[in-house]
Amino acid sequence: MLETGLILRALARNKIGALLIALQIALTMTIMVNAIFMIQDRQHQMQRDSGLDEANTFYLTNTVFGQDYNIQAHLQTDLHMIRNTPGVIDAIQINAVPLSSSGWSMALQHEPGEDKDAVGSAIYMVDEHAINSMGLELIAGINFTQEDIELRKDGQSTWPAKTIITKAFAENLYPDDWQSAVGKTVYISQTQPMQIIGIVKALQAPWNGWNGVERSMLVPFHRESKGSYYFIRTEEGRRDALMPIIEKALAESDKERIIRRVTTVEDTRKRSYRQHNATNKILTTVVITLTLITGFGIVGLAIFSINRRTKQIGTRRALGATKRQIMSYFMMENFIISAIGNVIGCIGAVGLNMWLVSTFNLSPISFELIAFGVVALFIVGQLAVLYPARKAAMIAPATATRTI
Amino acid sequence: MLVMKNINKIFQTADIQTHALRDFCLQVNEGDFVSVTGPSGSGKTTFLNIAGLLETYTDGEFLLDGEDVGTLNDNGRSRMRNQKIGFIFQGFNLIPDLNLYDNVDVPLRYRGFNAKERKRRIEENLERVGLASRMKHLPSQLSGGQQQRVAIARALATDPRFLLADEPTGNLDSEMAKGVLTLLEEINQQGTTIIMVTHDAELAQRAKRTIQVKDGRVSELEIVSPQMNQAIA
């Protein structure tokens, strides 16, 4: 028969040690659940689809220094050369690269004018080859045509009449029916009309920590700028071999510019999430360390408690307790302490999460994660007390008659 | 009935072998009140431990209430302790964190009685030792004599056939000791067999039988059961 009532009353009269362990469990629960929540949040962020064909794309920077340099002519020559290189699927000039941490943003609004609600978006200036070059999936509407592409000079403030946006952006602009965005006119720079002609499944912004990272738009521009990116997509498995070939070809074709930072999109993703990975490793270490400390704390308290109660355990054995009943006593005692710790820990975990949500704009913690924390700490507690409980069960009943 | 025939108990350490009991023979009949005396180290506590199934013996034969103790495993010995034996310890051995009610409850829970039955037995036995009014008190709030009475109530709560007392008055002053002994005599008169280990000769005289243990043997029997062989002189 379980001695739950007796254990509770005994704990109530001898509560300091048990309370300290319960508080340790509560603290571990609070930190562990929120740390796992943060790890999961970062993992989720890292696993989001950028929309790009990451395995087969790379980019480089083209920086011109020559005087009276014909940027447009060289751009056409460069793109023609790259696109015709065997193994290359397509290539574009682009103003920014997804996940690279550096880019442009604008806002679109439904109606023209100041003080209207506008939704921010990353903006990529590309031509009609963008969808093919980046490996995007057009899920509604149409692509740009060659006639749509305009020349954009540095400092220019006017925008083309057409745009292609991501599905997430369309959902934001038209929550009731994202597909209805196609054909709609929206306004950029508060007053300039722009028609949405297509929707792509996904294309992330350059900033992974931005809460609007899924909102991007393509505009049909060729930039007449002395610094730009060329974004290149290759056939499967040929990226790494083509990177030095294209770099060399571009460098040798024109001595009035510098080709630098030839980088794969995969490397850009890794660099982009380097801090996330490091933070996750630290948080994982914290969770493991705290759990171990709690486990050892339980072991320590249980051993101390058993050593203090050796004669009492012998007496219980003399009164008829089996080894299993002695073990159950300590397992149940730990279960009760863990339960108290877990209840306090749940309150702490939710409280800390509420603070994190309000401070760092995170999503609320899930019930499943709290349930996981409770179960995990019960298991840790029971495993930790297993050895001391077995030790207690081995105390001889004759201890009751010994003078200790 | 308790029957021990040629019981030997040898404690073995790395270098030393200690013969605590040597061909120990004893029969205790139902309703007996036996006192066991002897000098320190004579083996009387070892005898009590073996008689109470707190310790195993090296060889010999031990029948308790007709059951061969040697065939029992640890669980079997625990069950038999709980059902047939009540213990009274010199240091009372009450659980300090539990009140009197809960202390008496401990062996009843191991027995598996339901709550109603446990309550009846606890109240009845605390009443029997005159402490029903203090059942919510902690042991530390009682005198030594009262604590020993609680221990007796705990021992009696399971209706044991045998009551084993290890120096039951050893930690009590003479007045309290008299009270406890009177209580033990009453319990014996009501049919419970009592075996009491004591070094107090005066106290031992109050038992129906007295045996003396020396060097691990029964060295003297004042009243010898007719079924038993002559104790070794």
Side-chain angles (χ1 to χ4, degrees), chain B residues 90-104:
Chain B
Q90 181 178 2
F92 324 133
N93 290 24
L94 297 176
I95 296 167
D97 299 327
L98 299 180
N99 63 28
L100 309 194
Y101 186 99
D102 287 338
N103 262 287
V104 179

Side-chain angles (χ1 to χ4, degrees), chain A residues 65-179:
Chain A
F65 58 82
Q67 297 294 317
D68 303 323
Y69 191 89
N70 188 338
I71 294 172
Q72 266 306 302
H74 280 91
L75 172 63
Q76 294 305 330
T77 308
D78 286 346
L79 289 176
H80 184 264
M81 186 272 287
I82 297 169
R83 287 169 183 165
N84 287 290
T85 303
V88 169
I89 292 175
D90 215 338
I92 50 169
Q93 181 208 45
I94 194 167
N95 62 316
V97 174
L99 298 177
S100 66
S101 304
S102 170
W104 297 27
S105 73
M106 290 298 289
L108 294 184
Q109 55 199 61
H110 290 287
E111 294 171 23
E114 292 180 9
D115 303 327
K116 302 289 181 186
D117 286 340
V119 183
S121 164
I123 193 159
Y124 295 109
M125 299 171 187
V126 294
D127 63 21
E128 75 279 13
H129 292 266
I131 289 174
N132 197 33
S133 299
M134 300 169 96
L136 307 179
E137 187 181 344
L138 186 69
I139 56 174
I142 55 170
N143 191 6
F144 301 127
T145 62
Q146 198 173 0
E147 289 71 38
D148 294 328
I149 312 304
E150 297 178 19
L151 188 65
R152 186 182 195 279
K153 296 184 180 301
D154 278 343
Q156 178 179 326
S157 60
T158 55
W159 293 90
K162 293 179 181 177
T163 183
I164 294 171
I165 65 174
T166 58
K167 184 185 170 195
F169 195 11
E171 285 171 340
N172 216 286
L173 288 168
Y174 302 94
D176 295 335
D177 180 11
W178 62 269
Q179 285 176 307

Side-chain angles (χ1 to χ4, degrees), chain A residues 258-300:
Chain A
I258 302 169
I259 302 297
R260 290 189 307 156
R261 292 168 55 194
V262 185
T263 312
T264 66
V265 174
E266 284 179 332
D267 283 342
T268 301
R269 168 180 281 277
K270 277 182 200 160
R271 207 167 36 242
S272 176
Y273 289 113
R274 188 181 294 161
Q275 199 174 345
H276 280 56
N277 271 317
T279 307
N280 276 4
K281 280 177 187 165
I282 291 167
L283 287 173
T284 304
T285 308
V286 167
V287 168
I288 291 170
T289 307
L290 259 179
T291 308
L292 283 175
I293 288 171
T294 302
F296 287 133
I298 292 168
V299 172

